[in-house]
Amino acid sequence: MELEGIDLASMRSMVLRFPELLVAKKPDIRFLEKARRAGESGISGICFVGMGGSSIVGEICRGLLIEQSNVPILTVRDYSLPKVVTKKWAVMVVSYSGDTEETLACFEETRSRGAKIFVITTGGTLAERAQGKNIHVVPKGLQPRAALPLMFSAMYPTVAALLSLETTGLDEVSASLRQQAQNWGATMDSPSTLAEKLKGSVPLFMGWKHLVPIAYRAKCQMNENAKTVAFHGELPEADHNEIEAAMSYSRHSVVPVFLRSCFEESTIKRRFDVTSEVLSEAGCESIHLRISTVSPLEESLAMTHYLDMTSVELADSLGIDPLKIDRIAHLKRKLASDW
Ligand code: F6R
């Protein structure tokens, strides 16, 4: 069906189809209508519940919409909800597998508090328990982290509807991402070139505003796909603490990768440039990534697509299978048996 043509045994194949996955399964009109009505009835806040690859979807939406929101938007990556989340809140519960224990625990808590629930999943226990609730079912078969565009395409318009905001459709963004990917290597380093630059080092992805969750996503993709240690940070905050560690970066082979935005305000542009100068004085050269885009939405997704592919290229170059997540599986088995 929607995943036709993707080799489900290859992370490269999944990442290459990122633009197509963004438009593969549009949310049901009734799902969006319920969100719009919930928003109009007056919600006190929006809470995203989920872990790992499912959680980042909400973080990206938050980064894009928080400035236009007149209610707080929280992310919960744990077993329980903060007290402030009451029945006046909308809670978006996201789990690709539908079987993640922290997410299921929060789902139950959300239900008992009487909050408005919107679920995105492929099935599993979550789909069973969410029968009769607002649920958007996406196709199975991908790794959760590779399903980001599939889940984002439902999450983003739903959050916008909850906030009574107009959003542009994702068709144009998808077409643009396809175009951008064809230009990798011409207008900027190709993902494989960047991967070679990062090989043997510790990448430190640094973002601002809507690119902060993208920096976090890049760190997670380096961890999960390339099995490589990586960190993320954000400006301007990093200038008040992390900058003091600059002298140790060369010793630990840290390579700062600045995710530069076409929408940087002059103060932020200056911060990135001066921070880079200070790092250089400390003997550490940073990499600056820029992708020319028409909106923060397109920029966030184009940057995610590019960095996802970089993590796959790095895995290949290291002779590592990006698909395998043996330690996560091992840990889950141990947690289930050693109790
Ligand atoms: C695996 C991945 C993980 C999962 C996480 C939660 O590809 O990205 O970070 O997303 O273990 O599982 P789900 O998403 O199924 O709730």
Side-chain angles (χ1 to χ4, degrees):
M1 45 185 294
E2 292 90 348
L3 301 185
E4 245 169 53
I6 301 185
D7 176 1
L8 298 175
S10 156
M11 181 58 79
R12 176 180 293 275
S13 174
M14 293 182 203
V15 174
L16 280 172
R17 300 296 291 273
F18 188 117
E20 284 89 340
L21 286 172
L22 199 55
V23 286
K25 176 96 200 264
K26 297 196 173 163
D28 194 286
I29 197 85
R30 278 165 306 173
F31 189 80
L32 292 180
E33 187 50 29
K34 292 226 174 96
R36 197 185 57 76
R37 269 194 264 126
E40 280 171 5
S41 73
I43 48 171
S44 301
I46 300 174
C47 179
F48 300 129
V49 164
M51 304 301 296
S54 291
S55 159
I56 190 68
V57 180
E59 283 289 273
I60 298 176
C61 291
R62 185 180 182 281
L64 290 166
L65 297 171
I66 188 66
E67 289 211 322
Q68 300 166 69
S69 174
N70 47 19
V71 293
I73 304 181
L74 306 180
T75 299
V76 172
R77 299 178 171 117
D78 206 336
Y79 287 89
S80 61
L81 300 174
K83 212 169 175 180
V84 72
V85 178
T86 60
K87 68 173 187 210
K88 290 282 284 172
W89 280 58
V91 179
M92 299 215 51
V93 182
V94 186
S95 170
Y96 187 71
S97 63
D99 287 320
T100 301
E101 64 179 44
E102 299 93 319
T103 312
L104 288 171
C106 281
F107 171 80
E108 291 305 337
E109 206 173 354
T110 305
R111 192 151 64 170
S112 67
R113 291 193 194 178
K116 293 169 185 68
I117 307 181
F118 295 85
V119 169
I120 300 175
T121 187
T122 56
T125 311
L126 183 58
E128 279 165 29
R129 294 193 193 169
Q131 294 273 334
K133 303 249 176 270
N134 307 311
I135 175 163
H136 175 74
V137 178
V138 294
K140 284 187 182 15
L142 298 168
Q143 278 287 326
R145 59 191 181 282
L148 180 145
L150 204 53
M151 297 192 281
F152 180 86
S153 64
M155 175 78 117
Y156 183 68
T158 308
V159 179
L162 285 168
L163 297 173
S164 306
L165 297 172
E166 291 296 322
T167 51
T168 48
L170 292 171
D171 295 290
E172 276 179 30
V173 178
S174 166
S176 169
L177 293 199
R178 233 171 294 154
Q179 188 68 46
Q180 300 270 3
Q182 277 164 15
N183 290 334
W184 288 344
T187 51
M188 59 197 292
D189 275 349
S190 67
S192 58
T193 305
L194 178 59
E196 282 312 310
K197 288 185 181 170
L198 297 179
K199 198 171 172 180
S201 73
V202 178
L204 167 59
F205 298 98
M206 196 66 81
W208 165 73
K209 224 166 230 179
H210 57 286
L211 296 184
V212 174
I214 311 308
Y216 177 65
R217 160 74 172 188
K219 167 235 172 284
C220 294
Q221 290 290 75
M222 288 291 154
N223 298 155
E224 286 188 73
N225 287 343
K227 283 64 169 168
T228 288
V229 61
F231 294 96
H232 86 291
E234 62 181 273
L235 278 180
E237 174 64 9
D239 283 352
H240 298 269
N241 34 61
E242 278 175 56
I243 191 82
E244 282 301 332
M247 299 305 284
S248 71
Y249 282 178
S250 325
R251 195 167 7 113
H252 298 294
S253 306
V254 172
V255 175
V257 182
F258 289 129
L259 310 190
R260 303 296 304 261
S261 172
C262 306
F263 309 97
E264 280 167 15
E265 291 151 9
S266 53
T267 45
I268 294 301
K269 185 182 173 318
R270 183 161 162 71
R271 262 199 191 269
F272 268 108
D273 293 344
V274 174
T275 304
S276 182
E277 270 171 42
V278 172
L279 291 176
S280 180
E281 285 158 15
C284 171
E285 295 309 324
S286 354
I287 293 172
H288 294 248
L289 284 184
R290 287 182 184 85
I291 304 185
S292 169
T293 47
V294 299
S295 65
L297 169 65
E298 188 184 313
E299 187 171 63
S300 297
L301 294 172
M303 203 68 101
T304 304
H305 186 206
Y306 174 82
L307 289 165
D308 280 7
M309 189 48 82
T310 303
S311 70
V312 171
E313 294 290 3
L314 182 58
D316 268 13
S317 172
L318 293 168
I320 284 167
D321 181 354
L323 204 62
K324 282 185 149 187
I325 39 170
D326 292 345
R327 265 153 297 272
I328 296 180
H330 174 58
L331 182 116
K332 282 186 180 170
R333 277 195 303 274
K334 270 180 90 68
L335 282 171
S337 67
D338 292 358
W339 190 237

